[in-house]
Amino acid sequence: MTHKKKELKLEDLFKANSNYKEVINNHIKEEISKQPENYFQGQDGFSSIKDNQDFYISDEGIVIYFSLYDIAPYSSGIPMFTITWDEIIDYLENPNIIN
C-alpha cells in the first residue's frame, strides 16, 4: 500500500473562509503585549502569521513558532505561542484532530 505524503499547512486544519488567522494573530499580539520588551516593535515586530507559517501540533493545541530574528532579538530565543484547542475548536475543519 502506497501512501502519498503531503506537507500539512496551517490552513489545512481550519474550515474554509474561517477567520483562524485573526484568532491566532490576536492571541500572539496579546501574549507579546505581556512582555513587549522581548520583541521587536513597529514595522520589525509581529503583524500577522504567514500563509506558510511554521507550527506543530501538541496535546495542548497548535504551537506557532518563529525563526530567530523574525519578531524578536536573538536573546529572546525562538518565539513560540500555543493556541489551545479550546480557543480554536470552532474553526477546525475536523475537530476530531484533538482526540
Side-chain angles (χ1 to χ4, degrees), residues 37 53 64-65 85:
E37 66 278 3
Q53 182 63 51
I64 304 293
Y65 65 95
W85 294 123

Side-chain angles (χ1 to χ4, degrees), residues 6-14 51-53 55:
K6 176 186 172 200
E7 181 178 334
L8 188 63
K9 294 182 180 177
L10 193 56
E11 70 180 337
D12 296 333
L13 300 174
F14 296 95
D51 289 337
N52 62 343
Q53 182 63 51
F55 74 98

Side-chain angles (χ1 to χ4, degrees), residues 9-76:
K9 294 182 180 177
L10 193 56
E11 70 180 337
D12 296 333
L13 300 174
F14 296 95
K15 295 175 187 172
N17 301 318
S18 71
N19 63 342
Y20 75 92
K21 276 188 172 182
E22 182 181 337
V23 172
I24 292 172
N25 287 339
N26 287 341
H27 176 90
I28 292 172
K29 288 174 184 177
E30 183 179 323
E31 289 300 308
I32 288 173
S33 73
K34 293 177 183 175
Q35 294 183 306
E37 66 278 3
N38 293 340
Y39 300 92
F40 297 139
Q41 300 299 313
Q43 68 183 29
D44 293 330
F46 175 77
S47 61
S48 178
I49 59 172
K50 299 177 247 166
D51 289 337
N52 62 343
Q53 182 63 51
D54 292 323
F55 74 98
Y56 64 88
I57 296 172
S58 74
D59 289 341
E60 292 81 33
I62 296 171
V63 180
I64 304 293
Y65 65 95
F66 297 87
S67 297
L68 293 172
Y69 301 110
D70 273 357
I71 64 170
Y74 181 85
S75 60
S76 294

Side-chain angles (χ1 to χ4, degrees), residues 75-87:
S75 60
S76 294
I78 296 175
M80 303 170 93
F81 304 91
T82 301
I83 317 302
T84 65
W85 294 123
D86 288 343
E87 290 177 81

